[in-house]
Amino acid sequence: MALSLKINLVSIGLTKTMRFNADQSISEVCKDIREKTTSGGGDHGLFQALPKPRWLKPEKTLKYYDLQSGNELEYRKKHRQLKIKLLDDTIKTVLVDDSSDVSEITDVIGKRMNIKNPEEFSLKVLTSNSWLNPALTLTEQGIKEDDILLLKKKFFFNDANVDKSDPVQLHLLYVQSTDAIVSGDHPTSRSEACDLAALQLQVLYGDYNPQKHAKPGWFAIKDVCPPQHAKSKGVDKDIIKEYQKLINTTEINAKYKYIQLCRGLKTYGITFFEIKTKVKKKLTPQLLGVTRHSLLQMDADTKEVIKEYPLTHLKRWAPSATSLSLDFGDYEDDYLTLSTPEGDAISQLIAGYIDIILKTRKDAARVIEDDEGESVEEEHLAPIRGHAVNTTTTNMVGGVWDPSMGQAGVPGVGGQVGDRMMGGGMHGNLLNAFDLGSALQACTALIDQIMDPAMAVSGAEAVALAQAMMALGTAAGEVSALAPEGGAPLDNAAVGLAQHLKNLIAAAKKNAAENGDDVSLLDGAKAMSEAVRKLLHAAGLVAKDPNDPKAIEALRAAQLAMKGAEAYLAAAAAGTLADQATQNLLNESAKMVAAAIAAMLTETDPLLRGMKDSRAQMDAFNKLKAAAGAAQRVCATVTVVGPGILDKGNQMTLQQKCQELERILQALLPAIAAGGCSPEQMENLNAAAKRAMEAIAALVTSSQLAGQRGHEPQDFITPIQTITKEVSKLTNEAKSQPSLIAPSTTSITEAVQALLKATKVVAEQNPALKESLLNEAKATIAALNRLTESSKKASANPQDTFTMQQLATSSANVEEAAKAILKTARASVIDSVKYWAKNATAATTGLVATSIGASSSADPTTRQNLCDNAATAASKIAVVLNAIQRCNDDPNDPNAQQALLAASKSFAHPSATLVATAKRAVPRVQDMTKKTSLHSAADEVAQALKNLMFAVQIAADEGPSKEVTEALEQLNFISADLDAAAFAAASGALPRISGSPDMAIDLLANSIAHLRTTIPPLEAAAHKSPKDVGNPAKNTSAAVYQVVNSAKTLASYAADSEAQKKIIQTCRGLVGAGQAVIDSAVDLSHAPNDAVLDESLQDKKRELERLLNKLLSASPQPGYKEIQEAMSRLEGLLSTLNQSGDNRGTSLQQLNDACKSLGIATSNTLTASRIDAKQMAPHTKSAAEAVDDIVDAAKTAAASSSSGGGGVTVQGLEGPIAKIQAELKEIANSPDKVHNATVIAKLTSEVVAASKKACQSQLRDKPQARRNLILANEKLTNATAALASPRERFRSK
C-alpha cells in the first residue's frame, strides 16, 4: 500500500509531500528523503508530533505505526543538548540521541561521566521528583529541550564495589547519602548522626581549626544532622568532638568513611513505598521496601521488617493504577496484593534490579533461575492495546507505476483508466491521455519525471520555453472556461493541456541542461505541473456540480496557482528569481496582511449591525467590502509577482495594490465613526487599523529586501558551527572517550573544506580582501595539518597527557584560524545574518498569523495568551526589516551592522516566547487543522531562530566577556529556579521561607533600591567599550538575583496561590528585562554613539523599572486580605459618588490631582513610621486635611439647607468623622497600621452613606452645597484608599 506523507524538512524549513510504500522500514524512508531532498544525514530521523509525540524506530515499518496518507512527519536531527543536574547542584550538558529511551540515555551520560555502573542510575524530573520511565523516550514523557533532569542512583546493587579507586561514583554516592541522612530518610542513633556530621564537616571545611571553628554557631546543624537529632541538647558539641578526631583525613577518605557508615544502617539501599495491606480484613498502612535481594513488608512507623520476600521466589508481578499483585509461586499460599498508586514505579524498580542481576550473570534471556530452574515473568494486566503483526521491508522504491497512486479522485471521470494504461512501456503509453481523468494521471506521472534530467519526456514537441509557457496558459484558460460545461469539450481541453505540459517540461529540461543543470528551471516546471494538476482536479469537481461553492473556490485557487507558477518559471528563465528567504517573507507577510484585515473586519461587524442610519450603514458596508476585496488582490499579487519581485515593475505593482488597500482603510474609519460608536469601540477599531497598516508597511518593506536565487550568501555559519562543536569534543571529551578523536577530526576536516570553498568565492568577488583571505586560508590549512598529525598520535596513545594536550592545542588553533577568516569576511557574515533574519521574520510572521487564527479555537485564557504574545512578536518584525534595509543601504556602516545584530537579538526573545506559548497552546486548540498548523509553524520558527542567533553570535566582532557570560548564565539559572517556584505555586505547594513578612518586605524594598543603583554604572560602561561592561553587568545580574530571592520569600507569605503566582510571574518578567538590559548594554558598547542602540537601552531600562514597580504592587503584606476587601469597598464608593455628582468640569480634575498627592502623602505616613518616626508628622497632617474638608463641606451644607443653623448637622456624619480623626491620630504611633487603615475604610463607608442620604433629602434643591459635599467625600475616599493601599509605601525606599 502506498502512503502520501507530508515530510517537514526541519533543517531547511520546508514541507514536502512524498510517497512511500507502507512496508518500507523507517531507515529506508530516511534514506529516500536524504536522496530526494539532499537534506539531513545519518543523525536525522523521523518524528511524529501529533497526536502524541514519538520518534519512529529505524527498524520498524510505516505500516507498524498505522500511518495514514496526509499525516505529517518531521525529518529532523535526533541529537539534542540535555542539561543534567547532580545533587551537589552542578549542571552538566550532554549531547544525547533524543530517539533513544531513557535507559539508553542514562547509559550514555554514565559513560560520559566515567561512572562504572551507569545502569544503577536514572533520571528524575526536577520539578516533580519522579523517576522517568526507562523504556520511553524523553519526548514521549514530555521532556522539553530546556528542562533540567536530576541524575540519581536508583539501584543499590554494586555499592560494595564503590571505593576510592572510583572517585566519580564515590562522590555521587556520597552526595546522595548526605541528602538522605540530613533529610531523615535513614533512621540513625545519636552517635551515628554525630559521626556522619563530623565526616561531612571534614569534607566541607577540611581539618578542624580552633581559630575558625571554635566559635558557637559557625556551622548550621540542620545542614549536617538529621531533624530528629538536630535540636538535641549538646549535639553540636558532640559533632565538634568527633570532627576534631578527623584531622589529616583527606576529602576522599572522609567521603569513603561516610559511605561505609551509611552502608551499615539497616535502611540503607532500601527504596520505600507507601502501601496498604489487609490485616484482619482491614486495610492497614505499611511500607514496602525494595532491595537488591528482596522485597520487605515493613511497619510504617518503626520500619521494622514484618516479612521478607526474596526476589528469587518471585515468579511474576502485575501493576495497575491502584494496586500491585505479586506471585511467589509455591513459596506463598496466595498472591500478595498491595494497595498503592505507585504500582508502576515499584514494577520498574523490580524489573531494573532483575536486569542488573541478569547483566552480572551475563544471561541473555530475561529470567531469574532459582534452585528449581523456574523463571520470573512480568505480566501486565492492563487491557490489550494492539496486536502483533508480521512486517516486511523492501528495497524497491519509486520507478514502478502503481495504478492506485495515480487515481485522481474525480467522480465520474476515467473509471477504468488504470487498467487501460498498464499495457506498453513504463512511461510511453502512460502519458497518452484521452480524457480529463487520464490527463490528470499523466500530470502526476510527469511530476515524477521532472527532477531526473536524464529522463526524456516521451511524446513532447520541441518548442521554445517561452512559446510553451504561452501555449500552456492558453490551454489552461480553455479548461477553466469549459469546466462548468463538462463532457467531451472539457475532456479534449484537458488532453490538450496535458500535451502542452509535456512540451513545457521538455523545454524546461533542455534549458536547464544548457545552463548547467539549473535546478530553478526544473523547480518552476514542477510548480507548473502541480498547478495544472490542481486545475484539472478542480475542473472535474466543477463539471460534476457547477454550483458547488467549494468546487468554484478550488478552481479559483488553481487559477491563482497557475499564475504564480508561471511567474516563478518566467523569473527562473530570466535569471531574476528571488531566493527562498525572500519568497517566504513575502508570502508570510501577505498572510499577515490578510489576518490583520480579517481581524479588523471582525471588529467592525458589530458596529455595522448597531448603526441606526441606514445610509451610513450602507456606505460603511461598501467600504468594508472594498477593503476585503483589496486585501484579496494584495495577496493574489504577492502570489503572482513574488517569485519575480526583483523586477522593479513587479515591486511597483505590489506597492500600488498596497496603497489602494491603505486608501480604502483610511476612508473606512470615518465611515464607521459617522454611523455612531462609543469612544472605546473607536479606540479598538483604530488599534486594529493600525495593526493592519503596520502589516501592509511590513509587506512593502519585504518587497524591497529581495535577494536573488543563486546569489545567496556563502555559508560560513554551518562550517564554523561544526568546527566549534567538534573542537569542544577534542578538548573536553577525547581524553575520556578516545573513540571520538578520529570522527571529530574528520568532521573538522570536512567543515574546513567547506569553509575554504566559501572563502575562495568571497575572495574572487572582493579583490581588496583576496590576499588577506588567501593568507588566512593557508594558515587554516596549516593548522588543520597539525591537527591531523596530533590526531594520529593521540589515537595511537590516548593515555599520554602531553599528546592529548597537543591535540587540544592544535584543534583550538584550527578554530582560531577559521574565525580569523570570518573577521576578514565580516561583510559576508553580515549577509548571512540578513539572510537568516529574513527567514526568521518570515517564519515568525507566519506563526503570528497562525496563532491569531488558532486562538479562535481555544479557551479564553489560551486565546488571550496567543494574541498578546503574537502582538508583541509582530511589533518587533518591522524593527528587524528596517535594520536589514539600513544594512542594504550602507553595507559597510559598522553602526548599521551593529544595529542589525541588536535588532535580531531583541526580536529573538518575543519570537521565542511566542513559540513557547504556541506549543503550550497546541493541546488546547480544538480544531485539528489549526492545531497541526500551529505546531508546525512553532517548530519552523524555533529552527529559524536557532540559525539566526548562531549567525548573530558568529558575526559579533568579539564574544561577550567572561563576566557578561557569567551574568547571563546566572539569570538563566534564576529563570530555571522560577520555573520550579511557579510550578510549586500553581500546585499550592510553595514552601514557607523562614523569617517574617515585615522582614521580607524590607528586604525586597532594599534589594530593589540596590538594583536601581547598578543600572547607571552599566549604562556608563556601555558608552565606553565592550571590555568595560563585564563587571557592571555582573553586578546587575547579582542584584536581580537578590530581588527575585526577596520576592520569593515574600510570595511564601501570600494569602493564596493566585497571589503567589502573580509575584512569581512578575519575577520571571523581571529576569527577562534584566537580560534585555544587559544585552542592550553589550550591543551599545560596540557602537557607543549609535542613537538607535542607545534608545533601545532606554526602552529596556523603562521596562525594567515598570516591572520593579509592578513587583512592589503585587507584593502582599500582613493583613493583605483585609486591605483588598477595604480597597474593593472604597472603589465601589468612588463609583457611586461619580454617578451621583453634577458636572464638575475642570475643577474635578484639579481635585483628583490633589487627591492623588494626598494619597501619596498618606501612604508615606506608613512608610515613614517604619523608617523614622520624626518624618510622620507632615504626612499625617496631610491625611487629616481630607477629613477637615468633609467637616467644612458638611457645615456649608447645613448652613444652606432648609433646616438652617450652623455646625455639623448633617445626620450620621458626626460619629464616623470623629472616629476617623481619632484613628488618624493613632496611626502615627500604632504599630499595627493595617488595622487602622481597615477601620478608617469602614468608617468612610458610613460617611459616604450619610452624605448620599443628605444629598438626596436635605440638599435636593441646593446644587452647590450638594456638589461640595460630594467632592469632599471623593477626596476622603481617595485618601483612605491610598492609606489602605500596600503599593505606595515602597516608593520612598
Side-chain angles (χ1 to χ4, degrees), residues 997-998 1000-1006 1008-1009 1012 1050 1108-1109 1111-1117 1163-1164 1166-1167 1170-1171 1285-1293:
D998 283 350
I1001 292 171
D1002 288 341
L1003 186 60
L1004 177 62
N1006 291 332
I1008 287 177
R1012 285 170 171 154
L1050 195 56
L1108 287 176
N1109 291 330
L1111 181 60
L1112 290 174
S1113 67
S1115 303
Q1117 50 185 314
S1163 66
N1164 284 342
L1166 296 180
T1167 303
R1170 297 184 61 84
I1171 300 174
S1285 173
R1287 291 167 174 78
E1288 296 292 338
R1289 63 178 297 182
F1290 295 100
R1291 292 203 172 179
S1292 63
K1293 288 194 177 186

Side-chain angles (χ1 to χ4, degrees), residues 781-842:
I781 294 172
L784 180 62
N785 290 335
R786 290 192 294 270
L787 171 61
T788 302
E789 291 301 318
S790 299
S791 176
K792 291 177 181 177
K793 294 178 182 179
S795 296
N797 191 10
Q799 303 303 320
D800 184 76
T801 303
F802 178 74
T803 301
M804 297 304 294
Q805 183 59 46
Q806 278 189 321
L807 176 66
T809 302
S810 59
S811 63
N813 289 341
V814 173
E815 182 178 6
E816 183 178 355
K819 289 184 176 178
I821 293 177
L822 299 186
K823 289 185 178 180
T824 302
R826 178 173 172 77
S828 296
V829 177
I830 291 293
D831 286 341
S832 294
V833 175
K834 290 191 291 186
Y835 182 83
W836 288 114
K838 285 201 293 185
N839 269 310
T841 51

Side-chain angles (χ1 to χ4, degrees), residues 1205-1237:
V1208 183
T1209 60
V1210 176
Q1211 187 177 4
L1213 284 183
E1214 293 177 320
I1217 283 181
K1219 292 178 182 177
I1220 290 176
Q1221 290 173 325
E1223 292 293 337
L1224 283 172
K1225 291 178 182 178
E1226 289 291 328
I1227 200 168
N1229 300 316
S1230 172
D1232 188 0
K1233 305 302 179 300
V1234 172
H1235 171 73
N1236 291 101

Side-chain angles (χ1 to χ4, degrees), residues 704-781:
Q704 298 166 350
L705 302 177
Q708 185 176 350
R709 179 163 173 171
H711 293 265
E712 292 86 353
Q714 293 300 312
D715 184 10
F716 289 97
I717 305 304
T718 303
I720 201 67
Q721 190 174 21
T722 301
I723 292 170
T724 302
K725 180 180 69 174
E726 298 302 331
V727 166
S728 176
K729 288 183 182 179
L730 293 179
T731 304
N732 302 318
E733 302 176 36
K735 187 174 182 179
S736 60
Q737 300 182 67
S739 60
L740 292 175
I741 297 174
S744 290
T745 303
T746 300
S747 296
I748 291 174
T749 302
E750 293 173 350
V752 168
Q753 290 171 347
L755 180 65
L756 295 179
K757 183 178 178 181
T759 303
K760 183 178 179 182
V761 174
V762 173
E764 294 298 331
Q765 294 172 346
N766 299 271
L769 301 177
K770 186 172 183 178
E771 184 177 354
S772 298
L773 286 173
L774 292 181
N775 288 336
E776 285 158 357
K778 291 177 182 178
T780 305
I781 294 172

Side-chain angles (χ1 to χ4, degrees), residues 551-566:
I552 295 172
E553 182 57 34
L555 185 61
R556 287 175 181 167
Q559 291 168 339
L560 186 60
M562 283 289 297
K563 291 181 180 179
E566 182 180 358

Side-chain angles (χ1 to χ4, degrees), residues 10 62 76 105 148 182 250 281 340 427 433 453 571 610 734 931 940 1013 1026 1047 1070 1087 1133 1146 1201 1205 1222:
V10 174
L62 291 173
R76 59 190 290 183
I105 290 175
I148 300 177
V182 173
T250 64
K281 298 184 179 182
T340 174
H427 297 289
K931 181 194 292 280
E940 185 178 349
T1013 66
L1070 183 67
L1133 291 174
T1146 57
S1201 68

Side-chain angles (χ1 to χ4, degrees), residues 536-722:
L536 291 174
H537 177 69
L541 297 175
V542 173
K544 182 183 178 183
D545 184 359
N547 298 317
D548 182 0
K550 291 184 179 180
I552 295 172
E553 182 57 34
L555 185 61
R556 287 175 181 167
Q559 291 168 339
L560 186 60
M562 283 289 297
K563 291 181 180 179
E566 182 180 358
Y568 187 102
L569 189 54
T576 58
L577 182 65
D579 60 34
Q580 194 60 52
T582 297
Q583 294 188 56
N584 290 345
L585 181 57
L586 282 172
N587 291 332
E588 297 301 342
S589 297
K591 291 178 184 176
M592 190 66 244
V593 169
I597 295 298
M600 185 177 175
L601 299 185
T602 301
E603 195 73 41
T604 58
D605 183 64
L607 303 182
L608 284 177
R609 297 178 184 276
M611 286 185 179
K612 297 180 180 179
D613 186 332
S614 60
R615 179 174 297 179
Q617 186 182 48
M618 182 57 65
D619 179 54
F621 176 78
N622 289 335
K623 287 183 171 60
L624 200 64
K625 187 177 179 181
Q632 287 182 342
R633 288 191 291 276
V634 167
C635 294
T637 302
V638 169
T639 301
V640 174
V641 306
I645 197 65
L646 283 167
D647 182 82
K648 294 298 182 183
N650 286 339
Q651 290 185 20
M652 184 62 68
T653 299
L654 179 58
Q655 289 176 18
Q656 289 172 350
K657 298 297 181 184
C658 290
Q659 289 168 358
E660 176 194 4
L661 177 57
E662 287 179 331
R663 285 194 298 269
I664 293 174
L665 292 180
Q666 289 167 354
L668 175 62
L669 294 178
I672 297 292
C677 56
S678 68
E680 182 181 359
Q681 290 173 324
M682 203 63 206
E683 182 181 354
N684 293 337
L685 182 58
N686 284 328
K690 181 183 177 183
R691 289 191 291 270
M693 291 293 193
E694 289 172 347
I696 296 170
L699 175 58
V700 173
T701 303
S702 300
S703 70
Q704 298 166 350
L705 302 177
Q708 185 176 350
R709 179 163 173 171
H711 293 265
E712 292 86 353
Q714 293 300 312
D715 184 10
F716 289 97
I717 305 304
T718 303
I720 201 67
Q721 190 174 21
T722 301

